[in-house]
Amino acid sequence: MNLAFRPPRRGLLLALLLHAGLSAAPARADVYDDMRTKWLNRSASAPALAPDDPDVAMQAAGSSAAATQYWSTMNLASNRAALWPDLPLGAVSASVTASVSRLGTLMAAYKSAASPYYQNADVLQAALEGLDWLLANGYSATGTGYDNWWDWQIGVPANLNNFMMANYSLMSPERIAACIASIDHYAPDPTRRAGMDGSIAANAIEEVGANRLDKALGAVMRGILGKSGAKIAAGRDAIPAALAYVTTGDGYYTDGSFIQHTHTPYVGAYGTVLLADISKLYYLLNDSPWSISADPNYLNPYDWAMNAYRPFIFDGAMMDNQRGRSISREGTSDHLSGRATISALAELAQVLPAAQALQLKSVIKGWVERDGSFGESYFTPQYGSGVAVFDIALIKAILNDASIPSAPEDSETRVFPSADRAVSRRDGYAFALSMFSKRISAFEFGNGENKNGWWTGIGMTQLYNADQTQYANTFWPTVDLRRLPGTTTDRSGGTPVAWKHYGNTKNAIGGAELNREFATAAMEFALTNTTASTLSGKKAWFMFGDRIVAVGSGITSTDGVPVETIVENRLLNGAGDNQLTVNDAANTKPATLGWTEAMPATRWAHLAGNTSYGSDIGYVFPDLPAVAALRETRNGAWRNINDGGSTATVSNNFLSLALNHGANPVNAAYTYILLPNRSAGETAAFAAANPISVIERSTTATAVRDNAQGVTGVVYWFDASKTVNVAGQPYLTSDKRSVVTLRQAGGELELAVADPTQLNTGLINLELNRSGNLVSKDDAIAFLNPGGATIKLAVSVNGSLGKSFKAKFALTNKTALAPAADAYARDGSYAGTNYGAAATMAVKQETVSYTRKALLKFDLSAITGTVTSAKLKLTPTSVGMAGVTHNLYQAADSNWTEGAVTWNSMPANGALLGSWEVPAAGTPIEMDVTAAAGSAMGGSKVLSLKVEGAANYGSASSVEYATKENGNANYRPTLVITYQ
């Protein structure tokens, strides 16, 4: 397991290191010198900046302060135990890495004309002798490491390589050899994890992902510096495994996910490191004897940029659900992480083919132009993190190139099943969802970082909009981490175990995306393996464009503690007085901090944002629940969530909205609708018209329809045949756990289906109560009944990793209706008994008290047009004897109900519509009732029918037909209507 990630925080003076070292390259002697010179000239490969560039000056100003601090605190004594008093050696391995980094900073100060230590011989001597001391006492070629393996095999080698590359001409061959010997001792193989003594065990961990490429780059640079072709080749040969897509473990997935540490989505942290490594490796190795350009996956990084990075960056901010432990680091905000990633992408564009580079640069330009979080300049240093001069030059060249268009944010909705993440982006906002499963951990804790991250992956939702600093600065140490938006919480937690996988015990976690426009996501959860509470439930999100519908069901707990679903927990402005409006434009709630209220019968609410535009949020509550509102000031400290953080108290104001489920809830439920960037008036109008229908909210299925857009999402929670009905009619049936998103627009219907469990090795069988001709489909989908009254599909999901499979149909005017009611009646002493709830309806003609007749009626009101064909299908489930004939009549009226009709109250017979000889059980009969249906369409639009025996065939002649309540969906009665 990789136990450390160092974020791409470049020390301000170190950011100038290569830029300052260009003048020191010696004359060419061999290919290794060529490659070293190429590395030193990397900065020169970017368009030149003006000598007085103000952004470079900003970096230099910060660099001088850092150099001054390091120089003034460096221990120069001959009997020293450490180079700096705050970096003691012997216990914390990060002190070794930081010591080499500081020595590099001093060397850069010595070489930079902008530094007060330029050409200061004392600084030069101290830095070089400090390196000698460290190689002898802290990182020797015969030593044994301690604490974190990462420092010994990645952190220190990377800093030593940078030191040698930048200062090669100022170092003796002996010093270089000593550095290389130490690197070789601790990091002998870029593909395998060494022990603390540098040995490689037979069962050594295979390096993957960012760690692998960190070590590959280290091996290549060490090979150049030590003039070893074998080391360069070893580094090159480690690269292909990281370029290929993976299906398990660490690396990039074809769905856009990037995983590190087996269980954590990390595109915004380790993924950034890997991307930066790739651009450096490509730059170094291209046009060398060790080129990697022939690898079949060489261009995959471009796909990563567009498919894995772009979805998770909004207006320059890297979404927190891709940053893992980084969210707990003081001075590593979403925009700082985003800026580091954008810098890495700008470097990647330098080594891509021109067409791909142009597209990537266009995206970069849009991000940088929209990111106002850094103030007047995008390159302003924050929290000690600046921007390398090379990256400033690359990004400014993109900004100043009129031929590069500025790309807007993508309008798309995506599900990332391998990472249990989803995003929905539209103009002006991005909605982000974090889930967890047996594959993906609820959070990652390690190195004392992210101590209270329990709920960050258990349904947490985030809304990014024009309030660009919503999640920046001091959000994470002050927000209530047990009450995060989107979560259904009992506030449980505890003391986490380092590097433990906090997984879900349930299987249905995933989603189905349709055309990257709409998506449905599902997460069944239980906290047994996370916070160890008994809380469980089923949560679904329906991302239908500019509205997100959140629905929960089956929420159950036995711990005796309150359970609530957090609709919102938003950072407010400095005064904490953002206006909250509820149910009526005139009903504004108190702006006083400390205000709380259980707001009864809440239909809608609106929260004013922190900016003058683009950050208001509307909320709609179809169930009219009591919503618990709280406006509060919260205090915290970075140390509370990260052992390396400051103990200083920081404060923020928040407003939360919650739905209370009480203590020990049993199958509790909720629904709310999130409306990004809506005004109070727009929110009220939406609530009044509310186009959203919750079709089903049970423990077996969750289904929502947006009637305005014709979009429907359905989640099936069990591996059993289940039909979701709309307006009393079967709509969609699935026989397995599945997630389906559908859209009907005019005469066209599209659907996407996915296996949320990623465990189904067979099929998902779907039946949609529509008729249509196939337009297109993915290969995994089989269309079973072309020309049928319904659409039957078999979807092969074996090994699909939660992928969404799509099909499109041109609808025909043909539909299969289920009965609005069906029952049977019995004469004689049973003449007053109702049999409407039975799973079968009996038909028999015999003596008094033994005669039974069946009744059915169909609601035709949804049929628009003229009926050209109507065919009734009935299926006998039990047949007493052969040779029995049944008659079908149109009933004289339809004024009967399933729950009340008896022999005494059933309607009389109307016209005889036809007869049939009863077939064997399980064999359906079909009767043409076109004329009767057409007659009903001209009247009540209800077709009422009766079935009875044609004669007395004796006591063995009983026949039972399946009703709409029958457990076998294939046996239930249907009326197939064709119309024009």
Side-chain angles (χ1 to χ4, degrees), residues 215-381:
K215 296 179 78 171
L217 179 61
V220 168
M221 294 183 72
R222 174 260 176 266
I224 294 170
L225 291 158
K227 301 194 175 186
S228 169
K231 283 291 184 180
I232 297 175
R236 176 203 60 197
D237 294 343
I239 298 171
L243 293 178
Y245 285 108
V246 301
T247 57
T248 59
D250 290 8
Y252 292 94
Y253 291 72
T254 56
D255 67 7
S257 302
F258 175 79
I259 304 299
Q260 192 80 31
H261 295 175
T262 310
H263 305 295
T264 307
Y266 253 130
V267 76
Y270 288 95
T272 299
V273 173
L274 190 153
L275 196 66
D277 288 341
I278 281 288
S279 62
K280 293 178 176 67
L281 285 162
Y282 280 13
Y283 176 81
L284 274 172
L285 297 176
N286 283 351
D287 303 319
S288 82
W290 299 276
S291 176
I292 190 70
S293 60
D295 188 281
N297 296 312
Y298 179 80
L299 293 179
N300 277 1
Y302 169 76
D303 295 329
W304 305 341
M306 305 306 282
N307 196 38
Y309 292 86
R310 187 178 186 182
F312 291 105
I313 298 178
F314 181 78
D315 285 354
M318 174 60 72
M319 294 183 183
D320 289 323
N321 68 7
Q322 291 294 320
R323 300 203 300 123
R325 304 190 321 274
S326 299
I327 64 171
S328 72
R329 291 179 182 149
E330 188 172 5
T332 310
S333 69
D334 51 359
H335 281 270
L336 281 170
S337 294
R339 188 168 71 178
T341 303
I342 290 167
S343 295
L345 289 168
E347 294 177 14
L348 177 65
Q350 289 296 96
V351 296
L352 290 176
Q356 293 181 335
L358 176 61
Q359 293 183 58
L360 182 53
K361 288 177 180 179
S362 177
V363 174
I364 291 170
K365 189 173 189 175
W367 281 331
V368 175
E369 288 180 343
R370 289 189 298 275
D371 191 345
S373 67
F374 294 100
E376 292 185 6
S377 172
Y378 178 75
F379 306 102
T380 301

Side-chain angles (χ1 to χ4, degrees), residues 134-178:
L134 194 64
L135 292 174
N137 297 280
Y139 195 72
S140 76
T142 59
T144 299
Y146 48 85
D147 191 22
N148 194 330
W149 72 268
W150 183 93
D151 291 291
W152 304 97
Q153 298 178 48
I154 294 178
V156 177
N159 280 280
L160 280 177
N161 280 327
N162 286 334
F163 188 103
M164 289 187 286
M165 278 286 192
N167 303 295
Y168 192 85
S169 64
L170 297 174
M171 297 176 69
S172 67
E174 292 78 16
R175 272 199 180 100
I176 291 173

Side-chain angles (χ1 to χ4, degrees), residues 70-82:
Y70 299 157
W71 177 238
S72 64
T73 57
M74 186 176 183
N75 187 348
L76 301 176
S78 59
N79 62 344
R80 58 193 169 190

Side-chain angles (χ1 to χ4, degrees), residues 812-831:
T812 58
N813 291 333
K814 190 174 186 179
T815 188
L817 299 178
D822 54 18
Y824 73 94
R826 186 172 179 177
D827 72 341
S829 58
Y830 302 95

Side-chain angles (χ1 to χ4, degrees), residues 625-639:
V627 175
L630 171 64
R631 192 185 295 267
E632 62 177 335
T633 296
R634 291 188 56 83
N635 301 318
W638 284 102
R639 181 66 60 86

Side-chain angles (χ1 to χ4, degrees), residues 542-626:
F542 302 86
M543 290 162 275
F544 291 167
D546 62 354
R547 61 212 65 178
I548 298 100
V549 186
V551 181
S553 61
I555 298 167
T556 300
S557 173
T558 59
D559 292 326
V561 298
V563 175
E564 57 183 343
T565 294
I566 310 302
V567 176
E568 186 59 276
N569 201 343
R570 199 78 177 165
L571 179 73
L572 302 178
N573 61 34
D577 60 358
N578 302 54
Q579 183 169 293
L580 177 67
T581 309
V582 179
N583 286 351
D584 186 278
N587 184 22
T588 59
K589 295 299 182 179
T592 307
L593 289 165
W595 165 80
T596 183
E597 180 183 342
M599 304 183 298
T602 303
R603 181 180 299 276
W604 62 267
H606 174 269
L607 178 63
N610 291 330
T611 62
S612 59
Y613 70 95
S615 62
D616 285 12
I617 308 172
Y619 314 87
V620 173
F621 302 92
D623 299 332
L624 303 183

Side-chain angles (χ1 to χ4, degrees), residues 305-584:
M306 305 306 282
N307 196 38
Y309 292 86
R310 187 178 186 182
F312 291 105
I313 298 178
F314 181 78
D315 285 354
M318 174 60 72
M319 294 183 183
D320 289 323
N321 68 7
Q322 291 294 320
R323 300 203 300 123
R325 304 190 321 274
S326 299
I327 64 171
S328 72
R329 291 179 182 149
E330 188 172 5
T332 310
S333 69
D334 51 359
H335 281 270
L336 281 170
S337 294
R339 188 168 71 178
T341 303
I342 290 167
S343 295
L345 289 168
E347 294 177 14
L348 177 65
Q350 289 296 96
V351 296
L352 290 176
Q356 293 181 335
L358 176 61
Q359 293 183 58
L360 182 53
K361 288 177 180 179
S362 177
V363 174
I364 291 170
K365 189 173 189 175
W367 281 331
V368 175
E369 288 180 343
R370 289 189 298 275
D371 191 345
S373 67
F374 294 100
E376 292 185 6
S377 172
Y378 178 75
F379 306 102
T380 301
Q382 286 188 357
Y383 299 102
S385 292
V387 183
V389 174
F390 178 49
D391 295 330
I392 293 175
L394 291 178
I395 293 172
K396 284 197 170 185
I398 293 170
L399 295 174
N400 295 331
D401 189 341
S403 69
I404 300 174
S406 178
E409 290 290 352
D410 256 359
S411 179
E412 64 173 6
T413 300
R414 297 278 303 278
V415 175
F416 299 84
S418 297
D420 293 338
R421 298 292 187 261
V423 295
S424 184
R425 309 161 60 104
R426 291 298 187 273
D427 183 29
Y429 79 88
F431 170 82
L433 168 64
S434 305
M435 302 178 289
F436 77 128
S437 63
K438 292 180 179 179
R439 306 173 302 274
I440 299 299
S441 187
F443 75 114
E444 182 182 67
F445 166 73
N447 292 340
E449 298 180 314
N450 205 23
K451 296 191 290 185
N452 293 308
W454 299 97
W455 293 91
T456 54
I458 308 180
M460 180 185 74
T461 61
Q462 293 179 280
L463 185 62
Y464 295 84
N465 52 29
D467 181 10
Q468 293 189 349
T469 58
Q470 172 66 209
Y471 303 109
N473 303 323
T474 55
F475 176 89
W476 288 107
T478 54
V479 70
D480 189 339
L481 286 164
R482 308 291 173 93
R483 301 182 75 241
L484 294 172
T487 62
T488 296
T489 175
D490 57 6
R491 306 193 191 192
S492 56
T495 302
V497 176
W499 314 115
K500 180 179 178 179
H501 170 43
Y502 287 100
N504 198 340
T505 60
K506 301 299 183 179
N507 291 321
I509 298 93
E513 65 177 50
L514 181 61
N515 299 331
R516 294 194 174 182
E517 187 176 5
F518 306 105
T520 303
M523 183 185 77
E524 184 175 12
F525 75 98
L527 301 183
T528 309
N529 290 346
T530 50
T531 67
S533 84
T534 63
L535 179 62
S536 63
K538 298 173 171 68
K539 296 169 72 71
W541 295 265
F542 302 86
M543 290 162 275
F544 291 167
D546 62 354
R547 61 212 65 178
I548 298 100
V549 186
V551 181
S553 61
I555 298 167
T556 300
S557 173
T558 59
D559 292 326
V561 298
V563 175
E564 57 183 343
T565 294
I566 310 302
V567 176
E568 186 59 276
N569 201 343
R570 199 78 177 165
L571 179 73
L572 302 178
N573 61 34
D577 60 358
N578 302 54
Q579 183 169 293
L580 177 67
T581 309
V582 179
N583 286 351
D584 186 278

